[in-house]
Amino acid sequence: MDMYKMAIIGSRETILGFKALGLEPVYANDSKEAVESLYRLKKEKTDGGRNKYAILFIMEDLATDIQPEDYKKLSADPLPAIIPLPSHLGSTGFGVTRLKRIVEKAVGSDILK
Amino acid sequence: MAILNVNPTRMAMLGLKKKIISAKRGHKLLKDKQDGLMQKFMEVIREARRMREDVEQKLGKAFKNFIRANALMGEAFLEGALLYSTAIMKLEVETKNVMSVRIPQFTVKSSGEVVNYGFLQTSGELDMALKSLQDVFPLLVQLAEIEKSAEALADELEKTRRRVNALEYRMIPDLQDTIKFISMKLGEMERSAITNTMRVKAQIQAKEKRRKQQTVA
């Protein structure tokens, strides 16, 4: 069975705990750095030529400023899944907004209310 | 409303009639696919929304525990303690096919110990924080799975909807118009051929009549 890795992108203090759980920590201080690391992680392949990472968690405060074009390119393939998580500062509502965007794309209007 | 650029011949019309039949069949199939996708999508998106709320709440708690541990121990000690973690998380990924959309399914395989530090210099809060984080983690993976599925389904739904609309509002009406145009044009040609022969016949008859009158005279 194919084994994939997971990575988490965020500031140092937030991802410390996840590092302890065994995820690959990737430090980023602003969303520009975060986008760069996302592209880099997405490109990384194993010897077999498939993606190395299946899930890339990213802290919400870094994800809010990702440009739509970048996001579109990053999320185009089946793997990896890019999932925003609320940081220790609390939820910014970005995750729910993202779901709303997905619904709008699929249905044509926001029916989740 | 547009007429396709074809020659108005019987051959072209036959070809178009065949095309319209397959276009209609394709339209029906795609419409069914769209309905199926929509049904699945609604299921997934409701689940995703529920899970996201759940995760955000639980993760917030885990982070709070972590911050407490950090405050009690100081960052250097905390980081030092966590360095000894031997945990490795790996994922098994399978893909499921729903209406030609590939949906990932994740299974976590973890090995090693997270709590691998001495208890002397670390606070109990750290144990609690790590425990809560460990508890939330499977939820995070589930969330990732379901959100990615929702995303993939939404992508496919959008594409399918465009195709359905293109067939329904563009291709099929265009084909119908063109077929009508060709059949009218063919009718017109037929009538013009008939009137032409009638005119020629009348001319010939008139000539004949004149010749007869000349021979009589």
Side-chain angles (χ1 to χ4, degrees):
Chain A
M1 194 64 221
D2 291 349
M3 288 306 228
Y4 291 81
K5 286 166 101 174
M6 285 167 277
I8 180 152
I9 301 169
S11 57
R12 223 179 155 72
E13 59 269 32
T14 35
I15 63 177
L16 208 61
F18 288 101
K19 187 184 166 198
L21 283 184
L23 274 75
E24 192 117 333
V26 177
Y27 302 117
N29 292 317
D30 52 43
S31 57
K32 196 166 157 263
E33 272 179 47
V35 170
E36 273 166 24
S37 345
L38 280 173
Y39 274 119
R40 183 171 55 75
L41 292 171
K42 188 180 151 78
K43 268 199 210 110
E44 265 185 54
K45 305 273 181 197
T46 55
D47 299 333
R50 62 168 176 75
N51 285 354
K52 197 168 169 187
Y53 296 92
I55 308 180
L56 303 175
F57 293 109
I58 177 164
M59 286 299 151
E60 257 180 18
D61 43 328
L62 296 175
T64 35
D65 291 332
I66 295 179
Q67 297 300 313
E69 306 95 78
D70 281 329
Y71 182 76
K72 212 173 170 185
K73 265 186 236 164
L74 285 165
S75 64
D77 301 316
L79 284 177
I82 294 166
I83 306 297
L85 292 180
S87 68
H88 59 296
L89 303 169
S91 167
T92 55
F94 178 75
V96 179
T97 323
R98 178 167 164 267
L99 282 183
K100 275 192 182 160
R101 268 218 304 272
I102 292 177
V103 173
E104 261 168 44
K105 192 175 170 190
V107 188
S109 68
D110 181 16
I111 50 167
L112 276 189
K113 266 177 192 161
Chain B
M1 286 302 231
I3 286 155
L4 303 174
N5 185 20
V6 286
N7 293 328
T9 58
R10 211 161 280 276
M11 267 295 269
M13 190 162 80
L14 283 175
L16 288 178
K17 275 187 178 162
K18 261 184 205 155
K19 242 188 187 171
I20 207 168
I21 288 170
S22 58
K24 276 185 178 159
R25 195 162 54 212
H27 175 255
K28 191 183 168 300
L29 280 173
L30 280 173
K31 193 108 190 169
D32 286 349
K33 179 180 173 184
Q34 194 189 10
D35 289 346
L37 277 174
M38 190 56 97
Q39 203 180 359
K40 185 78 191 166
F41 179 74
M42 292 319 292
E43 252 171 59
V44 168
I45 199 77
R46 290 228 168 84
E47 177 79 6
R49 196 175 153 80
R50 201 184 52 70
M51 284 208 45
R52 177 151 278 280
E53 275 161 13
D54 196 32
V55 160
E56 294 201 343
Q57 198 198 351
K58 285 191 177 149
L59 199 64
K61 266 187 207 153
F63 270 129
K64 242 173 234 152
N65 285 341
F66 227 85
I67 287 169
R68 206 168 295 147
N70 202 351
L72 281 168
M73 288 172 59
E75 196 153 340
F77 268 123
L78 183 73
E79 229 171 298
L82 294 179
L83 261 182
Y84 293 109
S85 159
T86 55
I88 296 169
M89 287 268 189
K90 291 223 159 160
L91 269 187
E92 247 178 45
V93 181
E94 279 176 74
T95 46
K96 209 172 74 176
N97 199 333
V98 176
M99 301 264 163
S100 83
V101 186
R102 283 172 66 217
I103 285 177
Q105 296 204 297
F106 300 134
T107 332
V108 188
K109 296 270 147 132
S110 58
S111 59
E113 276 298 315
V114 177
V115 181
N116 219 1
Y117 42 78
F119 294 124
L120 190 58
Q121 281 171 325
T122 58
S123 75
E125 269 75 13
L126 180 61
D127 305 352
M128 271 163 59
L130 281 177
K131 180 85 180 60
S132 56
L133 210 55
Q134 247 176 324
D135 288 345
V136 192
F137 194 70
L139 285 178
L140 290 184
V141 174
Q142 267 180 41
L143 179 75
E145 177 183 309
I146 211 141
E147 284 202 347
K148 190 69 200 177
S149 308
E151 213 170 47
L153 283 170
D155 245 4
E156 190 68 22
L157 253 175
E158 197 191 19
K159 260 191 242 162
T160 315
R161 197 179 52 225
R162 284 202 177 158
R163 282 188 196 137
V164 169
N165 285 348
L167 278 174
E168 189 172 340
Y169 297 109
R170 188 88 224 183
M171 189 140 172
I172 294 176
D174 277 5
L175 284 172
Q176 274 168 342
D177 285 352
T178 315
I179 288 173
K180 200 174 167 199
F181 166 74
I182 293 178
S183 70
M184 300 241 279
K185 192 98 180 171
L186 286 176
E188 180 67 27
M189 267 152 71
E190 210 172 310
R191 277 191 298 281
S192 109
I194 289 173
T195 46
N196 239 344
T197 32
M198 278 164 79
R199 201 164 55 89
V200 171
K201 194 179 170 189
Q203 267 176 356
I204 292 170
Q205 276 174 341
K207 227 185 219 169
E208 212 122 287
K209 212 174 169 187
R210 238 179 293 142
R211 220 181 34 221
K212 266 183 197 162
Q213 276 172 350
Q214 272 174 356
T215 45
V216 168

